[in-house]
Amino acid sequence: MKAAVVTFPGSNCDYDLYKAVQQVGADAEFLWHRTHGLDGVDVVLLSGGFSYGDYLRAGAIARFSPIMDDVVAFAQAGGPVVGICNGFQILCEAGLLPGALIRNASLKFQSESVRMRVERTDTMFTRDYDEGQVLWIPMAHAEGNYRADADTLTRLEDAGQVLFRYVDAEGEATEAGNPNGSLNNIAGIVNEAGNVMGMMPHPERAMEDVLGSTDGVPFFTSLVGALAGSAS
Amino acid sequence: MSRFRIEIRVTPRKGILDPQGKAIHHALHSLGWEQVDDVRVGKALHIELDADDDAAARVEAEAMCRKLLANPVTEDFEVYQVEEA
């Protein structure tokens, strides 16, 4: 199983992702954003960071990088694509995921660990979690406030496309448990086809006890296990 | 071909939470402007380009907005001014 980690100018979580993939026993390679071609790649990972300095809007310029033509074609052909933090913003800007991420309701860059509930376990991204499991995961962003129009939000919820939701200490998706103002406490979603997912928190920063949490590990074992199972 | 100066305004779509506008609204109130009812913060882009006439310049500017300059999920745009440079 080989994961491609795309590096844009300003990406800064690409090494974390690379290491997380290797930790769960898969191969990873870096792809510079100006290159083309995803031959032999089983999953594309778009990392966190500040691609193009977040100029104009977070992810707005990165989505036009050369590699993104390949990523869009790969996703449209059913290939798995994951965007974390800035990667999520890029996937929304590219139209591979619905909605948009705007400035946190606090107006601040928030770097803190949050509780996030697993809403579904029948996906390639979450199959090693338990349904309703509450994860302790770091987040670090200024634009993570998920927005979509009312129809889109209804469609997302009806189709079960919300994979992760911010929750409080009781595991409830309350306002108190919502760190950034996201509609319906949305932390992570998947597209209708089930192969493109994005989330604001950072599972790749929750991979070892010394980091304060290992709740990110099942995210990567899910993906690697699902893809190993489907590989020829 | 002539050179045109274009001003484009991009603003948060109505009904979309505008945290910056809200913070400035609060600040204006605490400075005594209690009559202020609403503040929304957007951006103005000043672009210079060459086009046959102002209609053609406007068409290009609108295409730029749709493709890159505004996010249709959260923002509205207006090609506010087109003038010959």
Side-chain angles (χ1 to χ4, degrees):
Chain A
M1 207 293 284
K2 189 162 88 175
V5 178
V6 179
T7 303
F8 297 94
S11 294
N12 65 10
C13 301
D14 41 348
Y15 275 82
D16 306 62
L17 267 182
Y18 183 90
K19 190 165 182 299
V21 168
Q22 289 193 328
Q23 186 183 323
V24 298
D27 293 330
E29 67 170 15
F30 290 116
L31 278 184
W32 180 236
H33 75 115
R34 297 201 66 80
T35 55
H36 275 296
L38 294 168
D39 292 344
V41 169
D42 298 300
V43 56
V44 176
L45 306 176
L46 304 185
S47 80
F50 301 86
S51 56
Y52 292 92
D54 279 351
Y55 296 156
L56 192 62
R57 296 178 306 278
I61 298 178
R63 70 152 289 202
F64 292 108
S65 277
I67 191 69
M68 286 305 293
D69 292 339
D70 304 71
V71 174
V72 170
F74 182 80
Q76 283 169 349
V81 177
V82 173
I84 293 172
C85 197
N86 190 219
F88 185 14
Q89 295 161 339
I90 294 168
L91 291 176
C92 288
E93 284 285 342
L96 289 176
L97 287 173
L101 295 143
I102 64 168
R103 186 71 65 95
N104 294 344
S106 67
L107 286 176
K108 293 188 174 120
F109 184 95
Q110 290 172 255
S111 178
E112 59 199 57
S113 282
V114 291
R115 289 184 185 82
M116 181 172 89
R117 190 176 68 204
V118 180
E119 301 291 276
R120 269 180 70 186
T121 55
D122 59 340
T123 77
M124 70 171 101
F125 311 101
T126 55
R127 62 182 215 163
D128 288 350
Y129 287 115
D130 297 323
E131 198 166 323
Q133 188 179 344
V134 175
L135 315 179
W136 181 243
I137 298 271
M139 68 165 221
H141 59 248
E143 280 96 14
N145 184 343
Y146 184 79
R147 296 282 136 178
D149 62 52
D151 289 348
T152 304
L153 202 59
T154 304
R155 270 206 313 279
L156 275 178
E157 294 286 3
D158 289 352
Q161 288 173 247
V162 179
L163 298 191
F164 298 110
R165 231 183 273 277
Y166 301 110
V167 293
D168 61 19
E170 276 71 52
E172 299 300 324
T174 55
E175 204 179 322
N178 187 344
N180 55 21
S182 289
L183 289 174
N184 294 15
N185 288 45
I186 289 173
I189 57 171
V190 66
N191 67 343
E192 213 178 336
N195 65 309
V196 179
M197 86 84 58
M199 66 198 293
M200 287 311 295
H202 290 276
E204 79 283 10
R205 295 189 191 176
M207 297 295 287
E208 296 176 42
D209 284 324
V210 293
L211 299 175
S213 171
T214 55
D215 287 349
V217 175
F219 180 78
F220 293 95
T221 58
S222 292
L223 198 52
V224 169
L227 294 174
S230 66
S232 54
Chain B
M1 283 277 181
S2 316
R3 171 66 50 98
F4 291 90
R5 276 200 205 99
I6 298 173
E7 181 178 330
I8 292 166
R9 293 181 178 180
V10 179
T11 46
R13 175 158 285 188
K14 280 242 181 307
I16 290 273
L17 175 80
D18 175 13
Q20 291 189 82
K22 223 165 121 185
I24 293 166
H25 188 181
H26 275 294
L28 289 172
H29 271 221
S30 55
L31 289 171
W33 278 287
E34 280 164 20
Q35 71 274 38
V36 172
D37 190 37
D38 189 33
V39 181
R40 302 185 74 72
V41 180
K43 39 190 167 233
L45 295 103
H46 298 267
I47 293 179
E48 288 196 20
L49 60 75
D50 294 326
D52 287 335
D53 52 37
D54 58 357
R58 183 175 287 274
V59 165
E60 289 304 318
E62 285 173 354
M64 291 175 208
C65 289
R66 277 192 294 273
K67 181 137 191 184
L68 174 69
L69 302 179
N71 181 332
V73 178
T74 56
E75 295 171 324
D76 290 319
F77 66 83
E78 185 190 358
V79 179
Y80 181 72
Q81 199 171 46
V82 179
E83 60 175 25
E84 209 163 334

